[in-house]
Amino acid sequence: MSNIRHFPGGAELRPAPRARGPYRKKVTAAEIERAVRVAEKLGLTIYGLTIEGDKVHVQTKPGPENGAGPASAADDWFSRRG
């Protein structure tokens, strides 16, 4: 014997739980511009810009205080290719 009783009409169906979307913070144009401006203000030569999710990586040539020397391999490469 069963103690479970089924009533006609039944219970209301619950809506399916909503799946949250990918809420990753993305880099804004202002943050990219700020990173480039800071590098230029410091007098660094910018060789590349990489964006990974919410991070901006500015690839620069080391300054003279960092022991860059007279000419680096990157300078030679860029001078040959323009």
Side-chain angles (χ1 to χ4, degrees):
M1 254 190 147
S2 173
N3 290 338
I4 299 173
R5 304 281 181 223
H6 295 284
F7 297 105
E12 292 182 24
L13 295 175
R14 290 182 63 187
R18 298 173 89 184
R20 292 189 61 152
Y23 293 104
R24 282 185 26 196
K25 181 181 181 292
K26 295 187 171 92
V27 176
T28 62
E31 291 171 329
I32 296 170
E33 187 176 348
R34 187 178 310 123
V36 170
R37 263 200 237 146
V38 167
E40 288 176 344
K41 193 175 198 179
L42 293 173
L44 300 172
T45 303
I46 299 173
Y47 289 122
L49 187 71
T50 307
I51 301 169
E52 295 177 6
D54 64 342
K55 297 178 185 174
V56 178
H57 301 279
V58 180
Q59 299 162 348
T60 62
K61 171 186 165 189
E65 64 277 353
N66 296 337
S72 68
D75 285 332
D76 295 337
W77 189 88
F78 277 105
S79 65
R80 284 186 303 229
R81 287 170 178 77

